[in-house]
Amino acid sequence: MAGKATVGILAMQGAFIEHEQAIKSCGAKSLQVRRAQDLREIDALIIPGGESTTMGKLLEQFNLLEEIKFQAEQGMPMWGTCAGMILMAKEIENSDQIRLGLMNIEVKRNAYGRQVESFETALEVKDIGITRAVFIRAPYVQKVWGDAQVLASYEDKIVMVRENHLLATAFHPELTTKKEIPEYFLQMIK
Amino acid sequence: MAEKGSLKVKTGLAQMLKGGVIMDVTTAEQAKIAEAAGACAVMALERVPADIRAAGGIARMADPTIIMQIMEAVTIPVMAKCRIGHFVEAQILQSLGIDYIDESEVLTPADDKYHVNKNEFTVPFVCGARNLGEALRRIGEGAAMIRTKGEPGTGNVVEAVRHIRQVNDEIRWVSNLPKDELMTAAKELQAPYELVLQVAKLKRLPVVNFAAGGIATPADAALMMQLGCDGIFVGSGIFKSGDPAKRAKSIVAATTYYNDPQVLAEVSRDLGEPMVGIDISTIRPEERMQERGW
């Protein structure tokens, strides 16, 4: 199925073109999602990195927030990177910002500090192995509950979580040439 | 081991800002208005370019107190400007923990020949450019992001349009040259050869390229996006207008829906007074900020 799947990339703001290129390089089709009706054309959705507050406001203003929540409840596979992870979290430390609130995780925004603390590193991911991880003003996960399973930690902080058909990474696989994580997500599309 | 300040980490933040609007702010309250309107970052300044232009004299890096108040007021990235070539202002801004430095022609240049060696810094830099050669010289010095210069503080988009068209024309030209002509192209562009090779291969700049300098309306923002810019800086255009919060929100929406005239029509309605614009021909050439930079 993965080869024929159409993966929607939420294109409100942020690094959506990078995700589109990564998905195409894995042999799947992609579609930029800006309208609620675009959600009917896709088999899975990626919520990219960018500014979570910017994306949240646009999702609400253009009536995508409830539609995406509905699709997630119906079982559509979704993957959020960085800001996408923040939007997918049910709990965000010290924030009442607009969110999708799909996953049983609590995230801390800008958890590593400001831009001068941004970094890249090798990272071991469960079932995948060693990959390259780029953290940009990144969040991390402080707590998981329910069905949420930790797939990777960096220096004791949770940075990758899967909860059934939902995937979240604090880092940016789309900024590297490594395909392991996009391919892992494509495998989640039945 | 964790690697900080790498080129990937520096250019990565610019990639996260794409499709967004970076707004000039001079107080913590303005920063909060910008964040609430959906800005993807703010530029902390003492005065917006229109006021710098009106005041005359020497424009310098903002007081660190103002910058820190703005950093504490919002969770989005905060940028600040240093003067062209003023590497000590850049060192100070880096020590404050600013997220991006704009080595900017809006401030009075501190060096009439040389820019900051931006490769030496952990914090990333954005620089203005009017053409491909200028953009590639700045990238060669370590800039991780480029923006058009436009003519700041005018509310007049014509110079930003001229600059993005110039860069696009030169990218098309370079992309169509056979490889054996690229060294001479680099010589003509006054640009580093290795970067000219990259542009020819990528058919675009190797870093993110935003629009700046004169953007005042949602339609201006969408125009620059349709011309191929990756995102928008708005300087004086928001807080020199009649209803900054509403205008800011509509420019954010226009930057996302830049290809959707129905949305653009909707968000362009009832915005109140735009900033008063300036015809470029009334500004003497020696007073044009875009002439600054080498």
Side-chain angles (χ1 to χ4, degrees):
Chain A
M1 175 73 194
K4 292 179 206 150
T6 299
V7 178
I9 322 277
L10 188 68
M12 300 285 102
Q13 187 270 324
F16 51 86
I17 291 166
E18 288 77 357
H19 269 295
E20 193 169 49
Q21 287 163 347
I23 287 300
K24 282 180 180 162
S25 77
C26 295
K29 286 190 288 187
S30 72
L31 179 74
Q32 293 184 9
V33 172
R34 290 189 180 81
R35 297 284 207 163
Q37 58 260 36
D38 297 334
L39 294 168
R40 289 180 217 129
E41 323 258 319
I42 60 174
D43 303 300
L45 181 67
I46 292 175
I47 304 165
E51 272 309 309
S52 60
T53 53
T54 303
M55 286 190 241
K57 286 169 210 303
L58 288 163
L59 285 174
E60 187 170 65
Q61 188 182 349
F62 291 91
N63 304 316
L64 278 151
L65 201 67
E66 294 305 319
E67 289 289 332
I68 292 173
K69 280 189 202 172
F70 175 76
Q71 292 297 339
E73 280 162 22
Q74 298 299 304
M76 181 185 281
M78 295 190 186
W79 169 27
T81 54
C82 193
M85 170 189 255
I86 293 166
L87 287 164
M88 287 173 80
K90 283 189 180 160
E91 302 289 336
I92 306 170
E93 188 189 76
N94 293 330
S95 173
D96 56 1
Q97 69 187 82
I98 300 163
R99 71 200 68 175
L100 294 161
L102 308 175
M103 293 180 76
N104 290 319
I105 59 176
E106 180 188 280
V107 298
K108 180 181 169 71
R109 287 185 63 197
N110 302 332
Y112 295 92
R114 304 193 73 95
Q115 170 63 13
V116 287
E117 304 300 327
S118 294
F119 62 98
E120 53 179 310
T121 184
L123 180 73
E124 183 160 4
V125 179
K126 189 168 174 274
D127 301 335
I128 290 179
I130 305 270
T131 189
R132 191 79 188 155
V134 183
F135 291 81
I136 309 278
R137 285 173 48 97
Y140 59 63
V141 177
Q142 308 202 111
K143 205 164 64 176
V144 302
W145 62 95
D147 286 349
Q149 301 291 320
V150 176
L151 293 186
S153 296
Y154 176 74
E155 292 183 343
D156 299 328
K157 306 295 185 196
I158 300 165
V159 295
M160 184 169 177
V161 179
R162 177 170 177 181
E163 184 175 344
N164 304 316
H165 60 293
L166 305 173
L167 183 68
T169 55
F171 52 94
H172 296 281
E174 77 283 8
L175 295 188
T176 71
T177 52
K178 303 279 184 189
K179 289 186 193 173
E180 300 95 352
I181 294 176
E183 279 172 352
Y184 178 89
F185 179 62
L186 290 172
Q187 291 298 320
M188 288 168 57
I189 307 170
K190 292 186 198 78
Chain B
M1 271 312 293
E3 199 186 337
K4 292 180 185 173
S6 65
L7 186 62
K8 186 168 286 297
V9 165
K10 288 174 167 179
T11 55
L13 179 56
Q15 286 171 285
M16 297 308 138
L17 297 170
K18 285 194 302 181
V21 183
I22 301 166
M23 302 182 192
D24 279 4
V25 296
T26 58
T27 63
E29 294 79 71
Q30 287 186 356
K32 285 180 181 161
I33 292 170
E35 186 178 48
C40 69
V42 290
M43 178 77 69
L45 288 165
E46 247 176 73
R47 285 180 292 198
V48 295
D51 290 336
I52 290 173
R53 187 177 287 287
I58 305 300
R60 308 178 179 91
M61 176 188 79
D63 185 321
T65 304
I66 295 175
I67 294 171
M68 291 176 75
Q69 284 167 352
I70 290 168
M71 285 168 59
E72 281 159 23
V74 294
T75 61
I76 56 179
V78 179
M79 303 184 166
K81 291 184 194 289
C82 75
R83 284 180 266 176
I84 288 172
H86 207 315
F87 49 84
V88 173
E89 286 186 350
Q91 290 163 4
I92 292 169
L93 291 173
Q94 175 166 279
S95 80
L96 293 176
I98 207 83
D99 295 300
Y100 238 94
I101 296 176
D102 184 0
E103 186 186 17
S104 177
E105 68 280 6
V106 167
L107 306 182
T108 311
D111 193 314
D112 68 350
K113 276 203 182 108
Y114 305 107
H115 284 251
V116 173
N117 178 8
K118 295 165 275 287
N119 287 309
E120 282 191 347
F121 287 76
T122 307
V123 65
F125 281 73
V126 54
C127 287
R130 293 179 298 175
N131 53 56
L132 183 59
E134 193 172 15
L136 297 183
R137 290 196 295 279
R138 298 294 85 80
I139 296 166
E141 293 158 357
M145 178 178 181
I146 293 293
R147 54 172 175 73
T148 61
K149 285 180 162 176
E151 188 56 38
T154 60
N156 187 342
V157 78
V158 65
E159 295 301 300
V161 168
R162 190 204 310 281
H163 299 161
I164 190 64
R165 283 200 182 276
Q166 180 72 28
V167 168
N168 287 344
D169 275 352
E170 288 169 336
I171 290 173
R172 279 191 290 270
W173 171 63
V174 163
S175 305
N176 285 315
L177 290 179
K179 203 172 175 193
D180 53 0
E181 295 182 11
L182 288 174
M183 180 59 86
T184 299
K187 179 183 156 198
E188 285 174 19
L189 290 167
Q190 301 180 45
Y193 177 61
E194 296 301 327
L195 291 174
V196 172
L197 289 183
Q198 266 193 55
V199 169
K201 190 174 161 209
L202 297 170
K203 302 190 193 319
R204 59 156 291 144
L205 287 182
V207 302
V208 165
N209 186 19
F210 267 48
I215 291 136
T217 69
D220 289 348
L223 174 68
M224 296 307 294
M225 293 297 288
Q226 286 198 29
L227 285 170
C229 290
D230 295 313
I232 304 291
F233 281 92
V234 189
S236 320
I238 289 172
F239 288 100
K240 285 282 156 189
S241 75
D243 188 345
K246 192 168 184 189
R247 183 167 295 265
K249 192 177 172 192
S250 69
I251 292 176
V252 169
T255 301
T256 295
Y257 293 93
Y258 65 92
N259 257 332
D260 190 331
Q262 279 183 317
V263 173
L264 296 176
E266 188 55 41
V267 301
S268 298
R269 294 168 65 141
D270 301 323
L271 293 181
E273 281 297 303
M275 72 176 284
V276 178
I278 303 174
D279 188 340
I280 306 299
S281 65
T282 65
I283 309 171
R284 284 181 298 174
E286 63 272 23
E287 290 174 356
R288 292 180 193 168
M289 292 172 174
Q290 60 176 285
E291 304 292 334
R292 300 165 168 174
W294 343 112

